[in-house]
Amino acid sequence: MAKDLAREVGYIYVDTGAMYRSVTLYALRGGLFNADGTIRTAELEARMPQIQISFQLNAETGRPDTYLNGERVEDAIRSLEVSSHVSPIATLPFVRTAMVAQQQLMGQGGGVVMDGRDIGTVVFPHAELKIFVTASAEVRAQRRYDELQQKGMPADYDDILKNVQERDYIDSHREVSPLRQADDAILLDNSHMTIAEQKAWLMEQFRRVAGS
């Protein structure tokens, strides 16, 4: 949804969730998770200056891909392993501080569509248009399952649903930048909307704010 809007209006698209997934992938690759699933926070914090996330347009798909220190990781960060570890990483204050700084740098000139769980409340609280998008956990799990199936990646619906529910709880209850709807955000529940209906609704909101 956000990617399509950015492409149609000529804005830059930034998937902040992909940024936290990239940090998670970095931590997994670097052995920064203990056997019990806890994080070696001191080591990760020391390495944060080495983690740079960027987005580059994929000429074949017409969509931006995520890069971790120059390596394309768009597919790797969508795995269930990364999904299962990302919420604990995203709750770490030093990780959020580093990622928010990178996000604000990307969007400081405007002309950006930014997608993430704290954009309207923390990253850009004065954004001209804030949309709080939601859907039932079951619908979101099915969408993720279908996405992984299309990419030929292993997927189990029940595992994905459990992961979605756990992430919602953790992200809503964390102390730093919890998931919540900004007071001036417009709520969109797209559980039962088609992609075409969703795009038309979003474009109407954009034109209302942009004045064109």
Side-chain angles (χ1 to χ4, degrees):
M1 177 183 181
K3 290 176 183 176
D4 286 345
L5 175 64
R7 186 172 65 247
E8 290 185 24
V9 302
Y11 279 17
I12 297 169
Y13 169 73
V14 177
D15 178 359
T16 63
M19 298 176 72
Y20 291 101
R21 287 175 171 270
S22 297
V23 176
T24 303
L25 180 65
Y26 179 94
L28 286 167
R29 287 177 170 180
L32 300 181
F33 281 92
N34 296 309
D36 62 357
T38 57
I39 306 163
R40 299 179 182 176
T41 54
E43 293 180 50
L44 179 58
E45 185 169 12
R47 295 193 197 182
M48 286 306 298
Q50 303 172 22
I51 301 176
Q52 293 297 319
I53 318 297
S54 59
F55 298 91
Q56 297 179 30
L57 186 67
N58 185 318
E60 293 184 4
T61 64
R63 296 174 179 271
D65 287 340
T66 310
Y67 283 75
L68 169 62
N69 294 333
E71 175 195 353
R72 182 184 178 279
V73 293
E74 184 63 32
D75 296 329
I77 62 174
R78 308 297 174 182
S79 70
L80 186 57
E81 181 183 25
V82 170
S83 296
S84 299
H85 289 82
V86 65
S87 285
I89 289 286
T91 62
L92 296 173
F94 64 84
V95 172
R96 300 205 71 83
T97 296
M99 292 300 99
V100 167
Q102 289 192 32
Q103 292 156 18
Q104 290 175 332
L105 190 61
M106 292 175 186
Q108 65 182 1
V112 168
V113 178
M114 195 166 283
D115 176 11
R117 294 193 165 201
D118 63 347
I119 306 307
T121 54
V122 176
V123 184
F124 288 109
H126 303 297
E128 292 89 346
L129 177 62
K130 302 176 187 177
I131 309 293
F132 189 85
V133 187
T134 189
S136 70
E138 290 76 13
V139 167
R140 285 183 287 136
Q142 186 65 51
R143 289 171 179 171
R144 176 54 58 86
Y145 174 83
D146 293 342
E147 178 185 16
L148 293 174
Q149 287 280 292
Q150 290 170 5
K151 292 181 177 179
M153 299 174 68
D156 180 275
Y157 173 80
D158 291 333
D159 288 344
I160 294 172
L161 176 59
K162 181 181 178 182
N163 174 251
V164 167
Q165 293 169 333
E166 289 176 346
R167 285 184 57 209
D168 283 350
Y169 181 83
I170 293 172
D171 292 353
S172 298
H173 291 78
R174 66 190 178 212
E175 292 185 13
V176 181
S177 303
L179 167 64
R180 67 175 181 85
Q181 180 181 345
D183 293 338
D184 56 346
I186 303 171
L187 178 66
L188 171 64
D189 186 329
N190 65 9
S191 297
H192 305 292
M193 293 177 73
T194 66
I195 292 177
E197 290 171 340
Q198 181 176 264
K199 289 176 67 174
W201 181 91
L202 183 59
M203 185 58 69
E204 179 182 348
Q205 304 306 315
F206 173 80
R207 288 172 176 161
R208 175 180 58 79
V209 172
S212 61

